Amino acid sequence: MARTVFLSHAGADTAAADALRKRLEGAGFDVWFDKRDLRAGHEVWQKQLEAQIDKVDGFVVYVGTGGVVNWVEAETRYALSRAISGKRKLAFVPVLSAQVKGGSKALPGFARQFQAVRDVENDPGAWNCLVTGLKNGAPPPKEEHPFFQLKPIS
């Protein structure tokens, strides 16, 4: 059961990602959020990010108007390598905001192979899918029976 979650997001999406963080915490998750949890003056911040991704049970990449750019892409690729390594299970769930153009094409190529949810802000079904996926552990890519049914992403 995934209970600790790393929430990755672009700077342009901080407000929306912070709202998602609060909802996830309200649902019982312990969420690592860089704007709150990154410690200045300690070890190099990239090492802090890697250490946190290594510790968590779930990784959520929030894709809003800022897209998957810069360090969000680096975090996502690092989490993907962990999600497919088989060493320690990681629920990897892309969350696409309603504003994302191109649907899953906004994600890096390998991330498109994982189940994504869209518009968790306004769609209770999508929200339930996210929570269920994080609690039960997302399936590996191309799982025949996904952990939940999703609407097609346009």
Side-chain angles (χ1 to χ4, degrees):
M1 175 186 290
R3 284 296 194 194
T4 58
V5 177
F6 186 103
L7 178 54
S8 180
H9 63 93
D13 300 318
T14 298
D18 194 37
L20 177 58
R21 174 194 61 82
K22 290 174 185 172
R23 284 185 75 193
L24 286 167
E25 289 176 344
F29 294 98
D30 179 19
V31 182
W32 194 91
F33 190 69
D34 64 347
K35 300 299 183 204
R36 180 190 64 192
D37 298 317
L38 196 61
R39 299 174 309 167
H42 289 78
E43 63 186 319
V44 177
W45 60 271
Q46 293 98 328
K47 286 184 180 182
Q48 288 182 60
L49 296 174
E50 290 174 356
Q52 290 306 314
I53 293 169
D54 285 340
K55 290 179 191 175
V56 296
D57 303 307
F59 181 91
V60 171
V61 56
Y62 180 84
V63 185
T65 57
V68 179
V69 295
N70 303 327
W71 282 101
V72 178
E73 184 172 2
E75 292 166 359
T76 299
R77 291 186 187 281
Y78 190 80
L80 279 169
S81 69
R82 181 169 156 221
I84 63 172
S85 73
K87 292 179 184 172
R88 183 167 173 250
K89 190 172 185 175
L90 177 70
F92 181 95
V93 184
V95 173
L96 306 176
S97 76
Q99 292 77 30
V100 171
K101 295 186 187 331
S104 62
K105 291 183 178 151
L107 294 167
F110 288 118
R112 291 181 208 147
Q113 296 182 39
F114 286 79
Q115 295 287 326
V117 292
R118 184 177 187 132
D119 196 16
V120 296
E121 297 92 339
N122 302 304
D123 183 344
W127 170 253
N128 289 335
C129 288
L130 172 61
V131 171
T132 299
L134 290 172
K135 284 184 178 178
N136 295 334
K142 302 203 182 227
E143 178 82 12
E144 187 174 331
H145 301 287
F147 60 95
F148 50 40
Q149 297 298 317
L150 301 175
K151 295 183 223 172
I153 298 174
S154 55

